[in-house]
Amino acid sequence: MMSAETTDPTSQSNYRRISTKHFSLDWLIDFHEKVIKGSITHELTVHTSDLKEVIFDTSDVVIKRVYVEGESCDAQYSLGEKHEVMGSALYIPLPAGLQPGSSVKVTIEYNTTEPGCKALQWLDKAQTHGKTHPYLFSQCQPIYARGLLPCQDTPSVKATYEAKITSVLPALMSAIRVSPPAEGPVHDGKIVGQDEVTYVYNQPVPIPSYLIAIASANLCYHAFEKLEGKDWTSGVWAEPDIIKDAWWEFKEDTTRFLAAEEELVGMPYNFGVFDLLVLPPAFPYGGMENACLTFVTPTLLTGDRTLVDVVLHEITHSYFGNGITHADASHFWLNEGWTTYIERLLQQILHSPAHRGFAFLSGSKDLYDDLKFYEQRNKKYQKLQIEFEKGENPDDAYSTVPYDKGANFLLHIERTLGGLDVFLPYMKDYVKTFIGKSITTQMWKDHLFGYYTRFGGDDELEALKSIDWDAWLFGTGVTLPVPMEYDMTLAQQSYELAERWSKTKNTSEFSAADISGMDANQIGAFLERLQSFNPLPVAHIDDLGDLYGLVNSPNAELRLRFYEVALLDPKSAKSELYATAALSWVVGEEDGMVKGRMKFCRPIFRAAFSVNKAMAHEKYQEHKNSFHPIARDLIEQDIELTKGYGTNV
């Protein structure tokens, strides 16, 4: 068999020789068997001569039939040996004589598997908000689309798609709905959970495989007010019992965020629809920028809109990630670093310069925690541009490093060049040049120098040459290559309060009024700052939790940070008590809802593991099936149940 001839270290497909231009899905969602059954038809474009076969990535899918140009080739196709990370390559022979530029159609009938498919999580009705119907949702980033459909699972390949999805529950996809209408009767007026309805979708903008998404559950829609002069629409999907809360949380900001993004980038939003889907708490991320349908965690529903900037991040991905895409996992920082940088710039435009500085300051805490974590596990993951080995799982490197180290790198370039007036024209040219393409870090760097060669002067070029590129892109260590300073205005009150708590011997001087003028983000900054001092005495932690209502706060961001303060000293007299409470909270024993967002569950399990390894193991094993497969893999590495991070732990 022919070599895959690919540079993407996570793919076995031969996408450089032949690639998918468009694909069609015909699926049936089977909630009883917990599988998706159906077919995919790839319309492929040939790039080289003497092509004998097409190679697709698959993982734990069951292949039923294969057709090439409508003719069965069941006797000829084959599945390669299963790789632990990359899955099994699917080899399909092609007709002889195909020339560069020619097209060929390949249809694969198949079904997903359970529990093998990491792309899908099937929730029982008890794990949902409404507790009346089951729930299915996908997560294909970074390399799990191959478990949902045979494909060339690399961000270097972008394709349009259409889909017909039959389900007894409303079905959503990362595409524009053709029928039945979103604002029509729920489930086309049929009985939810009983009657089958076929949903039709079309995605006319080429997207990479990791942005393919599906969800099916007891869902309803509430549109946001349409902005005058805009061709796109926006709204929110959620289970009926939380749709009003979800609509209220996001209705004020989502459309104005998107309009501001268009203005800043200088290019209209081209996906037509920007809808949000509020998922159950098992969803492992804060948000996922699936085209047309951003998935968000329900932990954003705080009732005060303090966490809606997560939506700003996902909107920004419409240009940086969904638009300009990393060529492979080694360049993932291009997606997240640019998105985080632009998101924070928009906070300055929408709010104030102080908000931009506060966002960088808040992000620095998690960044330094992750850099320290990888200092002991695998220093390679401290880099921005990571040299992944063939078959290495990019999820092992998932952290805030590409987000915050990347955003700080771009901020450093902005400052070195002389500020936003010099850097923003370049950003617009960057988007105009690469929108719709998949690129490497070197392509970005070449474009950056090329732009200032054409439109700048000697000062700008000398400034760029003065940057330590190797230190930023390939350097390791627990600090940034250059010390960064941020606007401290919004953090001042938080930091002063933390200073008082760290020095006081008597907590009677504190009262609930201390935080009355702070929003939730500033209270979070206060708790983060506390972690930079010596651990508080046990009595102080008790008083802190009670006085400010942190011990039972419904805001997951604040509850996490309180537990991090409480567990800063794993050997304190009450560490086991607080570790028990933290684990109970994160696995959902308190309210029946697992806190599956990895931002919450991973730090809690890490902290509890430092206190009592056996307790962390026991609690995890008891509730592991409530967590998403992606979260399970990483938690198991965190608490040393499995090997990971390229070490022998």
Side-chain angles (χ1 to χ4, degrees):
M1 288 183 180
M2 176 175 59
S3 166
E5 296 183 17
T6 173
T7 59
D8 187 327
T10 67
S11 175
Q12 299 183 79
S13 68
N14 59 341
Y15 69 92
R16 289 196 178 279
R17 306 201 68 188
I18 182 172
S19 63
T20 300
K21 180 180 180 181
H22 179 82
F23 62 90
S24 304
L25 301 170
D26 192 343
W27 282 348
L28 170 69
I29 300 175
D30 188 329
F31 280 96
H32 178 69
E33 295 186 23
K34 296 184 177 180
V35 296
I36 294 177
K37 306 172 181 178
S39 67
I40 180 170
T41 297
H42 288 273
E43 297 178 24
L44 299 130
T45 300
V46 176
H47 303 303
T48 62
S49 55
D50 301 321
L51 185 66
K52 296 180 180 179
E53 63 188 349
V54 59
I55 308 171
F56 293 112
D57 294 303
T58 79
S59 181
D60 294 298
V61 298
V62 178
I63 307 298
K64 300 289 189 178
R65 300 290 300 274
V66 174
Y67 302 87
V68 176
E69 291 294 335
E71 298 292 326
S72 173
C73 66
D74 288 351
Q76 289 82 33
Y77 82 84
S78 63
L79 274 175
E81 184 178 347
K82 182 180 178 180
H83 184 276
E84 183 181 3
V85 173
M86 294 189 294
S88 303
L90 173 61
Y91 299 86
I92 300 174
L94 297 174
L98 290 173
Q99 297 300 315
S102 60
S103 298
V104 62
K105 278 189 179 183
V106 174
T107 298
I108 305 163
E109 294 179 2
Y110 74 101
N111 58 258
T112 63
T113 56
E114 169 64 21
C117 180
K118 285 188 177 181
L120 299 176
Q121 184 167 21
W122 301 84
L123 300 179
D124 296 329
K125 61 184 181 180
Q127 296 173 284
T128 68
H129 291 283
K131 304 187 186 305
T132 56
H133 297 283
Y135 204 122
L136 163 69
F137 67 89
S138 65
Q139 174 57 41
C140 289
Q141 193 181 45
I143 58 168
Y144 303 119
R146 64 196 68 183
L148 179 61
L149 68 169
C151 64
Q152 297 172 314
D153 199 4
T154 168
S156 282
V157 173
K158 292 185 174 186
T160 57
Y161 80 87
E162 57 192 289
K164 293 181 180 179
I165 316 297
T166 301
S167 176
V168 297
L169 295 172
L172 309 180
M173 286 207 73
S174 54
I176 296 172
R177 181 181 284 210
V178 177
S179 67
E183 295 190 68
V186 173
H187 204 49
D188 203 26
K190 306 296 193 301
I191 299 176
V192 173
Q194 178 177 313
D195 295 335
E196 287 186 347
V197 172
T198 297
Y199 292 83
V200 180
Y201 286 91
N202 179 44
Q203 178 52 265
V205 179
I207 61 172
S209 55
Y210 74 83
L211 292 178
I212 302 166
I214 186 168
S216 187
N218 184 21
L219 298 168
C220 54
Y221 181 70
H222 199 324
F224 301 137
E225 185 176 349
K226 197 173 187 301
L227 293 188
E228 185 177 351
K230 299 299 182 183
D231 293 331
W232 44 262
T233 62
S234 184
V236 63
W237 295 89
E239 292 179 66
D241 58 314
I242 61 168
I243 187 66
K244 288 184 179 179
D245 291 340
W247 178 76
W248 183 90
E249 199 79 30
F250 301 120
K251 73 182 181 74
E252 293 293 326
D253 298 302
T254 303
T255 54
R256 77 182 183 97
F257 283 173
L258 185 47
E261 186 86 39
E262 289 181 312
E263 180 70 22
L264 175 63
V265 176
M267 182 175 292
Y269 176 75
N270 70 338
F271 285 95
V273 173
F274 185 87
D275 284 345
L276 302 173
L277 169 62
V278 180
L279 284 120
F283 180 55
Y285 299 101
M288 178 61 210
E289 63 275 13
N290 301 311
C292 300
L293 184 70
T294 286
F295 287 6
V296 293
T297 171
T299 58
L300 302 184
L301 304 183
T302 58
D304 59 7
R305 298 180 177 137
T306 54
L307 300 181
V308 296
D309 281 346
V310 169
V311 175
L312 189 59
H313 182 91
E314 308 311 330
I315 284 173
T316 302
H317 269 307
S318 303
Y319 298 91
F320 304 92
N322 302 13
I324 306 173
T325 307
H326 63 302
D328 60 65
S330 297
H331 309 283
F332 181 60
W333 84 270
L334 286 172
N335 281 26
E336 297 300 350
W338 266 105
T339 296
T340 304
Y341 169 83
I342 295 294
E343 167 207 349
R344 291 172 181 172
L345 179 56
L346 280 162
Q347 289 179 346
Q348 173 174 318
I349 294 168
L350 292 164
H351 307 304
S352 73
H355 283 81
R356 187 190 191 200
F358 185 71
F360 270 103
L361 195 65
S362 297
S364 64
K365 164 65 170 58
D366 291 335
L367 171 61
Y368 292 129
D369 283 350
D370 284 340
L371 289 173
K372 290 175 184 176
F373 182 71
Y374 287 132
E375 186 75 9
Q376 302 301 319
R377 296 295 184 110
N378 191 333
K379 291 183 179 180
K380 179 171 78 170
Y381 297 155
Q382 295 173 330
K383 300 178 181 180
L384 273 186
Q385 186 176 332
I386 301 171
E387 305 91 344
F388 284 104
E389 297 177 8
K390 188 68 176 179
E392 184 176 357
N393 192 342
D395 251 349
D396 288 352
Y398 181 75
S399 72
T400 60
V401 173
Y403 296 73
D404 277 276
K405 191 173 184 179
N408 275 280
F409 182 28
L410 294 169
L411 179 63
H412 176 60
I413 294 173
E414 170 205 312
R415 290 174 171 177
T416 302
L417 283 168
L420 286 170
D421 289 345
V422 182
F423 192 60
L424 284 188
Y426 159 72
M427 179 273 291
K428 292 182 178 182
D429 192 76
Y430 171 64
V431 173
K432 182 180 178 181
T433 301
F434 291 118
I435 197 76
K437 299 177 182 177
S438 301
I439 69 170
T440 65
T441 300
Q442 189 62 49
M443 292 169 69
W444 160 73
K445 184 181 176 184
D446 289 345
H447 175 261
L448 178 69
F449 273 84
Y451 175 86
Y452 285 104
T453 298
R454 298 192 310 273
F455 303 111
D458 292 341
D459 290 346
E460 285 83 5
L461 287 173
E462 288 304 313
L464 288 176
K465 292 176 183 177
S466 73
I467 294 170
D468 192 339
W469 294 89
D470 284 347
W472 278 102
L473 292 172
F474 306 108
T476 59
V478 297
T479 60
L480 292 173
V482 175
M484 303 295 287
E485 295 183 358
Y486 315 114
D487 188 324
M488 296 284 292
T489 304
L490 292 178
Q492 202 62 46
Q493 184 180 355
S494 305
Y495 279 26
E496 289 174 357
L497 183 60
E499 184 87 15
R500 285 174 57 203
W501 272 92
S502 72
K503 292 181 177 179
T504 189
K505 295 182 179 180
N506 185 356
T507 59
S508 62
E509 67 180 78
F510 299 105
S511 71
D514 299 332
I515 61 171
S516 61
M518 298 184 188
D519 65 21
N521 293 319
Q522 289 172 302
I523 298 171
F526 154 66
L527 294 170
E528 287 178 347
R529 185 65 171 175
L530 272 180
Q531 296 173 55
S532 67
F533 301 116
N534 291 329
L536 293 175
V538 170
H540 283 49
I541 295 173
D542 290 342
D543 290 343
L544 175 71
D546 292 335
L547 194 60
Y548 299 153
L550 300 169
V551 72
N552 56 7
S553 173
N555 186 314
E557 297 278 357
L558 299 186
R559 186 78 78 92
L560 167 67
R561 287 166 177 78
F562 170 70
Y563 285 135
E564 288 179 324
V565 171
L567 297 173
L568 199 56
D569 179 6
K571 299 187 183 302
S572 75
K574 281 195 173 182
S575 61
E576 284 211 18
L577 184 66
Y578 275 112
T580 300
L583 287 172
S584 178
W585 170 71
V586 85
V587 300
E589 290 177 345
E590 180 180 301
D591 59 5
M593 291 291 183
V594 63
K595 310 303 178 292
R597 184 179 176 186
M598 291 190 289
K599 182 179 184 180
F600 303 135
C601 60
R602 292 186 67 192
I604 291 297
F605 272 105
R606 287 180 193 171
F609 181 73
S610 297
V611 173
N612 186 321
K613 294 183 179 181
M615 179 173 65
H617 285 170
E618 182 180 351
K619 188 63 69 175
Y620 171 72
Q621 296 289 5
E622 184 181 351
H623 295 273
K624 65 180 292 184
N625 290 332
S626 296
F627 290 95
H628 191 280
I630 295 172
R632 286 202 296 265
D633 283 353
L634 294 177
I635 293 171
E636 288 173 11
Q637 292 177 22
D638 291 340
I639 61 177
E640 298 181 5
L641 285 173
T642 58
K643 295 179 181 180
Y645 307 107
T647 69
N648 294 320
V649 296

